Every structure is written in C-alpha cells, then in structure tokens.
Amino acid sequence: MIYRVEARIVAPVRDTEVTARVEDAVRNLFPNVEFEHRDKELVGATHSLERFSERLHEQEILDTARREFAKRADEEGFSFSLKKQAAFKGTINFAVGNPDELGDIEVHVTVHEPDVDAYIDHVAPPTEEGKPIDLDEGER
C-alpha cells in the first residue's frame, strides 16, 4: 500500500541549547526531516515516519503510541508530543502532562492516503499479547 503523509515537526530551541544538537535529536527519530530555522524554534517537514515506527517496535511501545495518537486524532491526521531529552538518545518518550523545561517536540501528521486509521495501523500496529498483529486488507 502507498502511504501519502506529511509530518510537521516543531522543536523549541532554548537559549541554553545548541541548534545543531536539537536538529540531531529530531533526526534521531525522523532522519529525513528538512528544517526551516525560525526564531527560537526549528520547524521541520518529512513524508516518512518509518524510522519512528521502527523505534516504536524496538522499544515495544506500540500500544502506548496508539493511545497517544488516538488522543489527538481526527479525520485529517493526528498529533503527539515527544520529550526532547529522550530524542537526543534516539529514544521515544511521549510527553504527557506539563511541558518539559526544554520544551517538547510537537509532531502533527496529515494523512492524505489512505486514511488516518490505516496509517496509524501501519506506524503502530495493534497488538495481541504484546506482539504486533499483521492486518491484511480484508480485516480493516
């Protein structure tokens, strides 16, 4: 299946931070991101969440990801926030509650094809007893 998505990534850059290091943190999870530098923030765009999906599988946090995606999903896409400190280490840690003092990485995904639910299933498939379930087309 062909997925057509657009992800907008916004990461604050505090006065105490080096912009290149914040770029590296985001690239650890979204290696194909293209950045635009703005005053005190980086705004990036990518059309792939493949590396992010790989990390979700490796960290075995698919159910957590699905819950976070569902919290801020609509018919056009979904959004989520990530802890910047964890991203520096290449680790996914969803930001919940109060923002971190360094600010959280905000990700807004717009799904053009096929639909939001199908793309979420692609990035973070449903699980059974902690193992990803392979959904074929007939089960959607």
Side-chain angles (χ1 to χ4, degrees):
M1 178 171 295
I2 296 174
Y3 298 97
R4 217 166 51 84
V5 301
E6 205 173 297
R8 182 174 187 265
I9 303 164
V10 179
V13 180
R14 302 292 189 238
D15 292 337
T16 57
E17 295 179 300
V18 177
T19 303
R21 293 265 301 133
V22 176
E23 281 186 21
D24 290 346
V26 174
R27 282 190 205 284
N28 284 338
L29 302 177
F30 307 97
N32 299 322
V33 67
E34 294 179 22
F35 285 112
E36 177 183 313
H37 295 259
R38 295 196 182 156
D39 188 38
K40 299 192 183 217
E41 70 180 6
L42 291 173
V43 178
T46 184
H47 297 281
S48 171
L49 298 186
E50 294 308 311
R51 177 66 184 137
F52 184 76
S53 177
E54 289 170 9
R55 292 298 299 141
L56 291 173
H57 283 78
E58 290 165 7
Q59 289 180 231
E60 298 180 345
I61 57 171
L62 297 171
D63 292 332
T64 301
R66 292 177 65 79
R67 275 192 305 275
E68 289 302 310
F69 297 164
K71 284 181 187 175
R72 293 167 50 194
D74 60 28
E75 64 279 347
E76 294 180 12
F78 58 99
S79 301
F80 54 93
S81 301
L82 301 168
K83 294 289 187 185
K84 197 188 302 181
Q85 283 294 94
F88 279 115
K89 299 174 184 164
T91 301
I92 295 170
N93 187 355
F94 290 98
V96 291
N98 295 330
D100 195 74
E101 71 179 55
L102 291 178
D104 297 328
I105 299 168
E106 295 290 330
V107 182
H108 309 281
V109 181
T110 302
V111 180
H112 300 288
E113 282 184 66
D115 62 53
V116 175
D117 291 336
Y119 191 67
I120 288 174
D121 287 348
H122 172 70
V123 173
T127 65
E128 192 171 283
E129 296 180 20
K131 301 290 180 210
I133 301 169
D134 222 4
L135 296 177
D136 54 37
E137 292 306 309
E139 295 180 33
R140 290 200 182 157

